[in-house]
Structures are given as C-alpha cells and as structure tokens.
Amino acid sequence: MSAGDSLCVPVCTGFAIHCSLGETTSAVLSALHAGQAALSPAPFELPFAANCGVLPNPLQSTGDDTGYDSRQARLGMQLTLQLGGVIRSAIERWGAGRVGLVIGTSTGGVLETEQALSLRKSAGTITSDYDLYRTHSLGAVADLIAQQFGIAGPRWVVSTACSSGAKALASARRLLRASMVDAVVTGGIDTLCQLTLRGFHALGLLSPDHCRPFAETRSGIAIGEGGALMVLEREGTGAVSLLGVGESSDAYHMSSPDPEGRGAEAAMAMALRQADVPPSAIAMINAHGTGTRLNDAAEAAAIGRLFGADVPVLSTKGYMGHLLGASGAVEAALCVAALEQGWSPASYGCAPVDPKLPIRVQTERSTLNGCFALSNSLAFGGSNASVLWGRSE
Amino acid sequence: MIRLYVAGYGFWAPGFASAQAWLRGDEVPALTTPPPSLLPVRTHARASLLTRMSCDALNQAARAAELDLSDMVCVFGSALGEMQRLQELLATPASEPLSPIRFQLSVHNSTAGLASVALGSRAPSTSVAAGADTVAGALWEVAGQLADGGTRVMMVVGDEHPPQQLGARDYLPFAAAFAFESRPTQGGLFLTPPQHAHALTADWTCPSLRALRENPCRGAALLVRALATGVPAAIALAGDAGRALTTRLDREQP
C-alpha cells in the first residue's frame, strides 16, 4: 500500500481573499452577493485602453528592508493578517516542521523589475533595495511568509501561468496524502504589472471594454490582481474538504486552448474520479471563464460533454478580472465560501448568454443545491487543473 | 520514508553535452546550445537556452531509463525561469507592441508546455521555483507524486544566465534531468526527500563545480556527480552556511 492510500482528505480550516472587490473575504463576498463588479482603467500609461481589477486600497509596507518588499509580498502579508490566527494554530498543533507552504504565482515581482530597469535607463543604476532573488523571483513571496510565521516544512512556489493557484492546491493535497506534512498554507498571489497587460494585448486577448464570460458578445479578458490563502489540514474544524484536484496537459498549443477542451475534460474527470463523485452531484462549477471566444467555447464543450446542461456554471472574472496565477486559488476559495454559505453568485456580464454554448450559465445569484463544487483553471502551455470541494452533510 | 528510485539522469551545460563530459572536464567551447533533440526544429529555434538545455537533459534521462515520454508526468524546476525572454520583453519600448510569441514563451511553464505539445503528452506536469531551494522544492514535489500513487516522474531542473544589469552574479547555466520511479530500479540507487540537516560543505573548488557555484540549481549538479559515482552519501541541495537542505543517495540492499 502506498501512502497515497492513507485516505487523508484535507480539511480547509480557514481561507482569506483579497482582490479589487475588497481587502477582506467578507467584503469580497458582500460585493459578489450584491452583484457589484470592480474593474477600472489600468493604473499604467499604456498605448491602449484596458480595464483592470485593481486592489481597492494602497498596500502597507511589509517592513522588510532586505529586498522582499514587493507589491506581491505586501499583498501576501496583508492576506496573512486575515489568516494569521489559523496559520499559528496549525503550527502550534502540528509543529513548524510539519507545516508546508505551497503558493501559486505567475508574476512574482515583475512590477519592481520593470521599475528597476526603468530607473537604470534614466539614472544609470538600480535602487539599493532591489534584489533579484528577493524582490523579483517567483519563490520570494513564499520565503517571506515562511519567515514571518516560522513555517519550517516543505516550501515552494508553483508557476504554471494561469493554473498556478489551482496546481498549488494539487501539490498541497499530495503533501498531505503522502504524510509528508500535517498542514499546508497554500493559495495564489499575483499583482498587476505592465508586462502582462502588454502581453495579453499583443496576443489580442484583452477586452477593449468589459469582461463578459460566456456572453454572446464576449470580447476578451480583463486582467486583475489579488490573492487567496488557505490552510489545509489533515484533520480540523471546517465544513469543507478538498476531495480532489485533477490535472492534465492539452498537448495542443502554448497560448490557445484545444478547441474541443479534451485536456480540460480530462482534468475535471480526474477530480471526480479521485473524489468518487458522479458528475450529477456537482452543485456548481466556477469555470475558468476568461471571456475570450476560444476559452469559453472550449471549456463549455468540455463541461457539456461531462456534465450536460444541468449543472450551473459561472465565472467570477467579470467581477474582478483574471487574476492570472492567483485566479485558481481565489476561485477555489470562492467555492469553499459557496459551500459554507449555501449560495453562489451570478456569472457577471454573461447576458445574453451565447446560445451556442452547451452549458447552463448561471445568470442570477442562486441557492446552492448540493454539497460539491468544482473550480477550473486552464493556462498557457495547456496546463489544466480542476479543484473539487465537498461539504460534509 | 519515501524512496525516489533513480532510473536515469541527463545533464547539459554550455561546453558539456553530457554528465560524463562535464565530470571529465572535456569542454568543447564551441558548444553553446544543445541540438534539437526533442522539440521540432522551428520550435527549438525559438526556444530559450533554458528550454533547450532542459529538453536535452530530459531526453538523455529518458533514453538512459528507456522511458516512453508520450505519457510522462514531469516536474520542472528553475529559480529564475525564462529570465532572458523576460529581459527581451522588458527592453521593448512602451510605445512598441510586445512580441506575442516571446510573451507566451516567457511563462515559467514554457518548457513544460513546449515539451507536452512536441511529445503529444496529455500527462500532467508542474513547474516550480524556490530560489536557492528550487531543487529541494522539485524533489518534494516528486516525492509527493510518487507517494500519492505515481509510478514514474521525470524531474528537470536548471537555470540560464542571470541578468547582470539587475545586479546578479553570473554563473555557468546548466540543466539536469532525473527519471524517478516508485519501485526499485536496476542498480537500486534512490534518493530520500529533502530534509533540514547540519550544513554540508561541498567541494566547490573542484574544476567541474566551480563555474556552477552561483547557479541556484547547483544542488542538482552535486546529485549528478553523486549518481555518477554511485557511492551512498548525504548531498547538500542548497549549500548556504548554517542552513542546509539535504537529500541522501543510498542503495537498496539486495
């Protein structure tokens, strides 16, 4: 028998969300409940128009003076303010060496690197508080959180573009099932920078106005910033458990999804198999739903084949934008909230729904009818992940 | 304790087309990039040095282990990832559009995506980073995969040149790949998951290692050297003084 047969089903003992909708989980959920979006013009001078999900308030300094004080690190620290009690309880219960840390990110400190290079161009030097490994590199945010809390177990960052946050949950689940740890602090954090806006614009994927996932007139994505952290434990107080994380590769193209969504379907099917849950039991799917014509059509094809047109499907990207490497974690956390509170938001901006999509898009906020929720993340490189949560009866 | 049985490994660095060439010090200065061993020629031509090195090392490890790559779970690790691509993009004036191809190849999982397309593999892959602990992070991920029911996992780690304009010290780029299995392989060599231990000092003065000393993935070079000798030993994955993550190379007793 492998350790994988030990039947550990990780419990979510706490989570925190921070995005353009609000800097606390309750503020974010209030906005979703009220059906309010928070997208605004990009906070950079760019030669094109773009709406973004910008954090509602300035972020406080981390207080670190050794190079870690990036915008991403500040957001990470602010998230730990919400979740600090749960993190400290887990460390106290299991011991610092038995608590792991796996964070998803795609941008790291690119914003500060843009600023450093700009300064170097104008002044010939970079600032003394910039450090390539501590300010820019993808692993830095995990280092800072681990230092702050004394987390001494396995620690790394997953960076698989827009599936990073969801795949961090897959890694965290494996660590727990393998008995390598007893608790994991996990999630995803990304902040805005010019590079991603210019890059998605170059690919022709940015919406010139509003982000409208699954709408007949959808015209592309809006980029946002934000993050979610959560604590998964071997056992603990929490109504919602992580039942499975399916993963697959498209093997199709670096930046376009397989039009038939076969990779996405494989990831969702794998999550269902891990959980031994039939498709008909799923109460909601928080889709990747970026609002591009290709993504939404491919994902809907995959969902339609596996679930038919009965399961409510929604995307939260119309509210806050596409949080890139953080989106999988934030959207998974929103599934936990939906299962805990018994409601799920409307798929913002979806009306009129594209009649060619073979799915049931949730046009209004709704009571959740069931105990299982799925969250999809589909990324560059054809990297797919599908996160399945279940609430105990 | 989970055992990561080693079925094969591969190595590529500028000047050194294999682990054996590197360990012997047989440098070929003209060898600045690997051949298109895994990617189609056009894709290879657009790929970064990191992707090219990683694909070559991966291909070597697969051949050594006689593995079919069309359905292989892969774990890629790099501290800085596609840093050269990123620099090219960041050097593009704000008034000019970015190259969409460069942008899509700047993501950390670029090698994973290109390899998956080239191999037609729908098997999951993941791409990790953890600064100087990147090799440890990748090994933990492999250990989790094998302990959770996986039977074979390929680990590919490496870093290309760091950007000196951002104040980083240069080093020799390299990539190394390791084919791991959950069951004993021929020879019975296995690694243990990384653990915090007393600091180990590697002999970085030896010629083969000196140029790699500042490479964040340097621990993988020590792994390659240890596997080549086959002598059981503790290996420092991140060699900072006073703080060490180590793995142990051991051999299954017959």
Side-chain angles (χ1 to χ4, degrees):
Chain A
M1 187 178 97
S2 75
D5 298 324
S6 61
L7 299 178
C8 165
V9 180
V11 180
C12 179
T13 54
F15 66 93
I17 307 172
H18 184 160
C19 64
S20 67
L21 295 176
E23 57 185 6
T24 63
T25 307
S26 61
V28 171
L29 295 178
S30 292
L32 288 172
H33 195 270
Q36 293 168 344
L39 296 178
S40 53
F44 307 110
E45 276 187 39
L46 297 166
F48 52 87
N51 277 321
C52 295
V54 185
L55 297 182
N57 295 305
L59 295 167
Q60 288 182 353
S61 164
T62 61
D64 176 86
D65 60 2
T66 64
Y68 282 112
D69 192 27
S70 68
R71 181 168 178 81
Q72 189 200 30
R74 290 180 179 194
L75 176 56
M77 283 296 101
Q78 201 135 335
L79 280 162
T80 64
L81 291 180
Q82 288 191 63
L83 200 60
V86 185
I87 296 172
R88 276 185 281 273
S89 293
I91 292 170
E92 201 170 300
R93 179 175 187 189
W94 303 109
R98 293 290 296 172
V99 177
L101 179 64
V102 188
I103 305 293
T105 179
S106 70
T107 58
V110 171
L111 174 69
E112 283 71 22
T113 299
E114 287 173 348
Q115 293 164 349
L117 288 171
S118 170
L119 187 67
R120 191 176 191 276
K121 200 172 174 185
S122 60
T125 182
I126 58 173
T127 52
S128 59
D129 57 356
Y130 178 90
D131 180 283
L132 178 67
Y133 292 99
R134 294 178 174 184
T135 318
H136 168 90
S137 81
L138 295 164
V141 70
D143 291 347
L144 188 64
I145 293 172
Q147 281 173 24
Q148 202 77 15
F149 288 89
I151 294 169
R155 173 177 91 237
W156 70 92
V157 155
V158 174
S159 189
T160 54
C162 303
S163 63
S164 306
K167 286 180 78 77
L169 298 185
S171 296
R173 178 175 176 269
R174 280 190 282 272
L175 279 178
L176 284 158
R177 286 170 59 83
S179 297
M180 290 164 67
V181 297
D182 297 309
V184 189
V185 179
T186 186
I189 309 167
D190 256 1
T191 43
L192 284 171
C193 55
Q194 294 190 44
L195 176 79
T196 47
L197 288 162
R198 293 175 67 196
F200 278 98
H201 176 71
L203 286 165
L205 297 176
L206 276 191
S207 170
D209 42 47
H210 301 292
C211 173
R212 296 189 295 268
F214 302 124
E216 190 170 17
T217 54
R218 65 189 181 277
S219 56
I221 65 175
I223 306 285
E225 60 183 347
L229 288 179
M230 59 184 72
V231 179
L232 300 176
E233 299 187 54
R234 174 166 308 285
E235 54 191 49
T237 307
V240 178
S241 299
L242 180 59
L243 303 184
V245 186
E247 297 169 273
S248 72
S249 300
D250 268 3
Y252 180 77
H253 188 268
M254 266 307 292
S255 60
S256 291
D258 172 359
E260 294 178 35
R262 287 169 296 188
E265 183 182 2
M268 289 186 277
M270 183 175 171
L272 293 169
R273 271 199 314 276
Q274 288 172 348
D276 196 21
V277 167
S280 58
I282 299 299
M284 67 170 271
I285 298 174
N286 193 351
H288 190 55
T290 58
T292 67
R293 300 213 67 81
L294 283 178
N295 172 86
D296 293 5
E299 187 177 12
I303 292 171
R305 283 196 301 274
L306 202 51
F307 296 91
D310 294 329
V311 177
V313 177
L314 62 101
S315 167
T316 49
K317 289 187 171 70
Y319 293 92
M320 64 186 78
H322 186 344
L323 308 190
L324 305 177
S327 63
V330 169
E331 290 159 18
L334 291 174
C335 282
V336 177
L339 288 166
E340 284 183 355
Q341 301 193 1
W343 63 273
S344 58
S347 192
Y348 189 91
C350 66
V353 172
D354 185 345
K356 295 192 208 69
L357 303 179
I359 54 172
R360 178 180 144 204
V361 179
Q362 180 161 303
T363 56
E364 303 287 339
R365 188 184 72 225
S366 172
T367 302
L368 204 65
N369 186 22
C371 304
F372 303 101
L374 197 65
S375 178
N376 286 344
S377 295
L378 318 174
F380 274 15
S383 174
N384 308 307
S386 188
V387 181
L388 177 53
W389 300 96
R391 186 188 70 224
S392 50
E393 297 284 356
Chain B
M1 177 76 78
I2 303 153
R3 293 178 172 186
L4 287 63
Y5 290 96
V6 183
Y9 60 92
F11 176 95
W12 200 95
F16 305 101
S18 68
Q20 291 70 28
W22 170 62
L23 289 165
R24 284 197 307 266
D26 284 348
E27 185 174 2
V28 179
L31 188 63
T32 55
T33 187
S37 51
L38 194 146
L39 300 178
V41 173
R42 279 186 64 190
T43 310
H44 177 87
R46 287 199 294 246
S48 67
L49 178 62
L50 177 62
T51 293
R52 295 178 186 185
M53 294 191 302
S54 298
C55 287
D56 197 83
L58 191 163
N59 202 41
Q60 289 180 37
R63 278 192 306 197
E66 298 179 352
L67 291 176
D68 174 12
L69 285 174
S70 65
D71 194 29
M72 174 61 62
V73 174
C74 293
V75 174
F76 294 88
S78 178
L80 293 174
E82 296 294 335
M83 200 69 216
Q84 298 294 336
R85 278 281 170 281
L86 195 62
Q87 283 188 94
E88 291 163 7
L89 290 166
L90 294 178
T92 307
S95 55
E96 292 176 18
L98 294 185
S99 153
I101 289 178
R102 276 187 185 157
F103 178 66
Q104 70 189 21
L105 294 178
S106 72
V107 293
H108 197 66
N109 61 322
S110 173
T111 305
L114 292 174
S116 142
V117 173
L119 296 165
S121 170
R122 292 216 178 97
S125 69
T126 196
S127 301
V128 308
D133 293 337
T134 294
V135 179
L139 274 175
W140 271 318
E141 174 66 46
V142 170
Q145 300 250 8
L146 292 178
D148 194 31
T151 53
R152 292 189 178 93
V153 180
M154 182 72 78
M155 179 178 101
V156 189
V157 292
D159 267 294
E160 58 185 9
H161 287 292
Q164 271 124 79
Q165 66 196 93
L166 289 170
R169 278 190 286 186
D170 200 15
Y171 46 72
L172 182 68
F174 82 97
F178 306 85
F180 291 113
E181 301 195 7
S182 60
R183 294 174 187 275
T185 49
Q186 197 174 10
L189 287 173
F190 66 88
L191 298 177
T192 54
Q195 287 195 312
H196 292 278
H198 295 300
L200 293 172
T201 48
D203 179 13
W204 294 103
T205 59
C206 86
S208 59
L209 287 174
R210 196 182 304 136
L212 296 171
R213 183 171 189 165
E214 299 293 334
N215 191 310
C217 284
R218 57 190 175 268
L222 297 178
L223 282 181
V224 165
R225 193 175 68 159
L227 286 165
T229 62
V231 178
I235 300 155
L237 296 170
D240 297 343
R243 171 183 166 277
L245 278 165
T246 64
T247 182
R248 187 164 175 81
L249 175 68
D250 232 323
R251 191 183 294 277
E252 181 99 338
Q253 295 305 316

